[in-house]
Amino acid sequence: MIGPDIIAERPLSECRFVLATDLDGTFLGGADVDRNRLYTWIEDNRRSIGLIFVTGRDPDFIAAACRAGSMPWPEYVIGDVGTTIATVSSDGILPIPALERDIADLWADSGLRVRAALDGHPGLRLQPTAFRHRVSYDLDPDEFDPDVVQVVTDMALDALISDNRFFDVLPRGISKGPSLRRLIALLNVDAERVLVAGDTMNDLSMLTSGLPAVAVGGSEPALIERVQGLPQVHIADAIGAAGILEAVAHFSLHPLSEGDPHVQ
């Protein structure tokens, strides 16, 4: 895999195409052969393809997976469901202060009060990671009491349920879509050259941000229901990584490799 020091030699604004993708179920989804096809195509075209991870995962997970060769290095990371906005270099995955300042202000060190307010709430199990600007829980749909959403709203924060398995408490108005829009504006990237890809409800703000978008095959039914009929959103048949390639061909964003099944 090409390292972050090589990728950083050209700005993202010079790329013909930029993929801004969720990880689990999307970039990491589908068959091994499809992931290999997508990752190889990206690596073979790094002069013209930029890569942004837009994920609920934290920077430590991303760095470890990239170092292990499990996936290509991105140029930028929007992690922690949009509450981390970071650049990637040989020094690591580093927050961009100019973009994170407002996020930190909106969060206002709310972690302790959120955990106290939601302690013992039915159907929620606190995730162990010490996130900076969010609090996240695993959700048991059989026990979950939806009244907790109002508890979070009354704290001037946002609650986000995705895949009927995860419950995130976020700064008000912060999620994947708005954070991605702020990043590409800072980088002077043409929005029409960016493809966003996702598969669950925590990707909704990204898929409805006005950018070319794909809900990959196997997406959460609630997400499909919300994006159905939106002209900028392609609902893919192919699962995970193959669905991304299907959308690249659908929108004619970048030539695919010879022999790819989506090449016409």
Side-chain angles (χ1 to χ4, degrees):
M1 296 287 182
I2 296 173
D5 50 338
I6 302 298
I7 296 168
E9 290 181 356
R10 57 101 180 92
L12 212 65
S13 59
E14 292 183 0
C15 292
R16 173 174 178 170
F17 165 61
V18 175
L19 174 61
T21 180
D22 172 56
L23 292 180
D24 297 279
T26 308
F27 197 72
L28 296 175
D32 289 347
V33 64
D34 294 322
R35 290 194 300 274
N36 184 64
R37 182 182 298 119
L38 174 61
Y39 301 171
T40 300
W41 172 70
I42 290 171
E43 295 286 68
D44 287 346
N45 292 277
R46 285 316 288 253
R47 290 189 178 277
S48 59
I49 295 177
L51 185 61
I52 304 172
F53 290 159
V54 192
T55 176
R57 294 287 192 170
D58 62 278
D60 288 345
F61 170 89
I62 295 166
C66 291
R67 289 192 189 103
S70 302
M71 56 189 180
W73 282 95
E75 281 94 336
Y76 293 91
V77 167
I78 296 172
D80 299 316
V81 202
T83 63
T84 291
I85 308 176
T87 186
V88 179
S89 73
S90 56
D91 295 325
I93 299 176
L94 306 176
I96 302 173
L99 294 180
E100 286 204 352
R101 191 171 298 113
D102 289 346
I103 294 172
D105 289 346
L106 288 166
W107 183 241
D109 291 325
S110 293
L112 287 177
R113 69 186 184 106
V114 169
R115 288 190 287 272
L118 273 58
D119 183 45
H121 195 89
L124 294 182
R125 181 166 56 89
L126 184 67
Q127 294 181 4
T129 304
F131 300 112
R132 296 180 304 137
H133 304 132
R134 65 155 164 155
V135 177
S136 296
Y137 299 82
D138 294 318
L139 184 152
D140 182 341
D142 295 329
E143 298 181 6
F144 178 67
D145 181 353
D147 288 347
V148 72
V149 173
Q150 188 60 52
V151 173
V152 173
T153 300
D154 291 344
M155 299 174 75
L157 300 169
D158 285 345
L160 176 62
I161 299 171
S162 59
D163 204 23
N164 210 26
R165 297 190 299 135
F166 303 111
F167 185 90
D168 293 298
V169 181
L170 308 171
R172 178 66 54 85
I174 302 299
S175 60
K176 290 183 176 183
S179 291
L180 176 61
R181 275 289 194 174
R182 293 178 66 200
L183 176 62
I184 65 172
L186 178 72
L187 300 174
N188 295 314
V189 175
D190 184 350
E192 295 181 355
R193 294 188 282 114
V194 179
L195 174 69
V196 300
D199 74 310
T200 71
M201 283 296 289
N202 75 17
D203 300 312
L204 179 64
S205 67
M206 183 166 61
L207 269 63
T208 58
S209 65
L211 302 168
V214 57
V216 298
S219 288
E220 182 180 354
L223 179 69
I224 297 297
E225 182 179 351
R226 293 290 295 273
V227 301
Q228 193 85 44
L230 295 179
Q232 82 278 11
V233 181
H234 175 65
I235 299 176
D237 294 318
I239 304 293
I244 294 173
L245 289 168
E246 179 183 322
V248 173
H250 173 80
F251 290 112
S252 300
L253 289 165
H254 192 286
L256 298 178
S257 302
E258 288 297 326
D260 190 283
H262 301 102
V263 174
Q264 300 297 319

